[in-house]
Short mmCIF file of all heavy atoms in Angstrom, two decimals:
data_model
loop_
_atom_site.label_atom_id
_atom_site.label_comp_id
_atom_site.label_asym_id
_atom_site.label_seq_id
_atom_site.Cartn_x
_atom_site.Cartn_y
_atom_site.Cartn_z
N ASN B 171 9.05 -0.34 -17.05
CA ASN B 171 9.92 -0.10 -15.89
C ASN B 171 9.82 1.38 -15.49
O ASN B 171 9.86 2.25 -16.36
CB ASN B 171 11.35 -0.46 -16.30
CG ASN B 171 12.34 -0.30 -15.17
OD1 ASN B 171 12.41 0.77 -14.58
ND2 ASN B 171 13.07 -1.34 -14.88
N PRO B 172 9.68 1.66 -14.19
CA PRO B 172 9.54 3.06 -13.76
C PRO B 172 10.68 3.96 -14.25
O PRO B 172 10.46 5.15 -14.54
CB PRO B 172 9.56 2.96 -12.23
CG PRO B 172 9.13 1.60 -11.92
CD PRO B 172 9.55 0.72 -13.06
N LEU B 173 11.89 3.41 -14.37
CA LEU B 173 13.01 4.26 -14.81
C LEU B 173 12.81 4.71 -16.25
O LEU B 173 13.00 5.89 -16.59
CB LEU B 173 14.33 3.50 -14.67
CG LEU B 173 14.70 3.11 -13.24
CD1 LEU B 173 15.94 2.24 -13.23
CD2 LEU B 173 14.93 4.37 -12.41
N VAL B 174 12.38 3.78 -17.12
CA VAL B 174 12.10 4.12 -18.51
C VAL B 174 10.97 5.14 -18.56
O VAL B 174 11.02 6.15 -19.27
CB VAL B 174 11.70 2.85 -19.29
CG1 VAL B 174 11.33 3.18 -20.71
CG2 VAL B 174 12.80 1.81 -19.23
N ASN B 175 9.94 4.85 -17.75
CA ASN B 175 8.76 5.71 -17.68
C ASN B 175 9.14 7.15 -17.31
O ASN B 175 8.75 8.11 -17.99
CB ASN B 175 7.83 5.10 -16.63
CG ASN B 175 6.48 5.77 -16.60
OD1 ASN B 175 6.30 6.83 -17.18
ND2 ASN B 175 5.53 5.16 -15.92
N PHE B 176 9.94 7.30 -16.25
CA PHE B 176 10.29 8.65 -15.79
C PHE B 176 11.17 9.37 -16.82
O PHE B 176 11.01 10.57 -17.05
CB PHE B 176 10.99 8.59 -14.42
CG PHE B 176 10.03 8.59 -13.27
CD1 PHE B 176 9.00 7.67 -13.21
CD2 PHE B 176 10.13 9.52 -12.24
CE1 PHE B 176 8.08 7.66 -12.16
CE2 PHE B 176 9.22 9.54 -11.19
CZ PHE B 176 8.21 8.60 -11.14
N ALA B 177 12.09 8.63 -17.47
CA ALA B 177 12.95 9.27 -18.47
C ALA B 177 12.11 9.79 -19.63
O ALA B 177 12.28 10.93 -20.08
CB ALA B 177 14.00 8.27 -18.95
N LEU B 178 11.17 8.96 -20.11
CA LEU B 178 10.33 9.39 -21.24
C LEU B 178 9.44 10.57 -20.85
O LEU B 178 9.30 11.53 -21.61
CB LEU B 178 9.47 8.23 -21.73
CG LEU B 178 10.24 7.14 -22.49
CD1 LEU B 178 9.33 5.96 -22.78
CD2 LEU B 178 10.83 7.69 -23.77
N ALA B 179 8.85 10.50 -19.64
CA ALA B 179 7.98 11.59 -19.18
C ALA B 179 8.77 12.89 -19.06
O ALA B 179 8.29 13.96 -19.45
CB ALA B 179 7.33 11.23 -17.85
N ALA B 180 10.01 12.80 -18.53
CA ALA B 180 10.83 14.02 -18.41
C ALA B 180 11.16 14.57 -19.79
O ALA B 180 11.16 15.79 -20.01
CB ALA B 180 12.11 13.69 -17.65
N PHE B 181 11.42 13.67 -20.75
CA PHE B 181 11.73 14.12 -22.11
C PHE B 181 10.54 14.89 -22.69
O PHE B 181 10.70 15.98 -23.24
CB PHE B 181 12.07 12.91 -23.00
CG PHE B 181 12.29 13.27 -24.43
CD1 PHE B 181 13.49 13.84 -24.82
CD2 PHE B 181 11.30 13.06 -25.37
CE1 PHE B 181 13.69 14.20 -26.15
CE2 PHE B 181 11.49 13.42 -26.69
CZ PHE B 181 12.69 13.99 -27.08
N VAL B 182 9.35 14.32 -22.53
CA VAL B 182 8.15 14.95 -23.11
C VAL B 182 7.87 16.29 -22.42
O VAL B 182 7.64 17.31 -23.08
CB VAL B 182 6.95 14.00 -22.98
CG1 VAL B 182 5.65 14.72 -23.28
CG2 VAL B 182 7.12 12.82 -23.91
N ALA B 183 7.93 16.32 -21.08
CA ALA B 183 7.64 17.56 -20.35
C ALA B 183 8.60 18.66 -20.78
O ALA B 183 8.19 19.79 -21.08
CB ALA B 183 7.74 17.31 -18.84
N THR B 184 9.90 18.33 -20.81
CA THR B 184 10.90 19.35 -21.16
C THR B 184 10.73 19.78 -22.62
O THR B 184 10.88 20.97 -22.94
CB THR B 184 12.31 18.80 -20.92
OG1 THR B 184 12.38 18.34 -19.57
CG2 THR B 184 13.36 19.87 -21.13
N SER B 185 10.41 18.83 -23.50
CA SER B 185 10.23 19.18 -24.92
C SER B 185 9.08 20.17 -25.09
O SER B 185 9.20 21.13 -25.85
CB SER B 185 9.93 17.93 -25.74
OG SER B 185 11.01 17.05 -25.68
N ILE B 186 7.97 19.94 -24.37
CA ILE B 186 6.84 20.85 -24.51
C ILE B 186 7.18 22.22 -23.96
O ILE B 186 6.95 23.25 -24.62
CB ILE B 186 5.60 20.26 -23.80
CG1 ILE B 186 5.14 19.01 -24.54
CG2 ILE B 186 4.48 21.28 -23.73
CD1 ILE B 186 4.04 18.26 -23.86
N ALA B 187 7.78 22.24 -22.76
CA ALA B 187 8.16 23.55 -22.18
C ALA B 187 9.18 24.25 -23.10
O ALA B 187 9.16 25.47 -23.24
CB ALA B 187 8.74 23.36 -20.78
N ALA B 188 10.05 23.46 -23.76
CA ALA B 188 11.07 24.05 -24.63
C ALA B 188 10.44 24.78 -25.82
O ALA B 188 10.99 25.77 -26.32
CB ALA B 188 12.02 22.97 -25.13
N GLN B 189 9.26 24.30 -26.30
CA GLN B 189 8.59 24.99 -27.42
C GLN B 189 8.22 26.41 -27.01
O GLN B 189 8.42 27.36 -27.78
CB GLN B 189 7.33 24.23 -27.85
CG GLN B 189 7.57 22.78 -28.24
CD GLN B 189 8.73 22.63 -29.17
OE1 GLN B 189 8.81 23.30 -30.20
NE2 GLN B 189 9.67 21.77 -28.80
N GLY B 190 7.69 26.56 -25.79
CA GLY B 190 7.36 27.89 -25.31
C GLY B 190 8.59 28.78 -25.22
O GLY B 190 8.56 29.97 -25.56
N VAL B 191 9.71 28.18 -24.79
CA VAL B 191 10.96 28.94 -24.66
C VAL B 191 11.47 29.35 -26.04
O VAL B 191 11.83 30.50 -26.27
CB VAL B 191 12.01 28.09 -23.92
CG1 VAL B 191 13.36 28.80 -23.92
CG2 VAL B 191 11.54 27.80 -22.50
N LEU B 192 11.45 28.40 -27.01
CA LEU B 192 11.99 28.67 -28.34
C LEU B 192 11.21 29.76 -29.06
O LEU B 192 11.78 30.57 -29.80
CB LEU B 192 11.95 27.39 -29.19
CG LEU B 192 12.94 26.30 -28.80
CD1 LEU B 192 12.70 25.03 -29.60
CD2 LEU B 192 14.37 26.80 -28.99
#
Side-chain angles (χ1 to χ4, degrees):
Chain B
N171 181 307
L173 296 174
V174 177
N175 188 347
F176 273 53
L178 288 173
F181 175 78
V182 168
T184 306
S185 298
I186 293 174
Q189 303 313 309
V191 173
L192 289 173

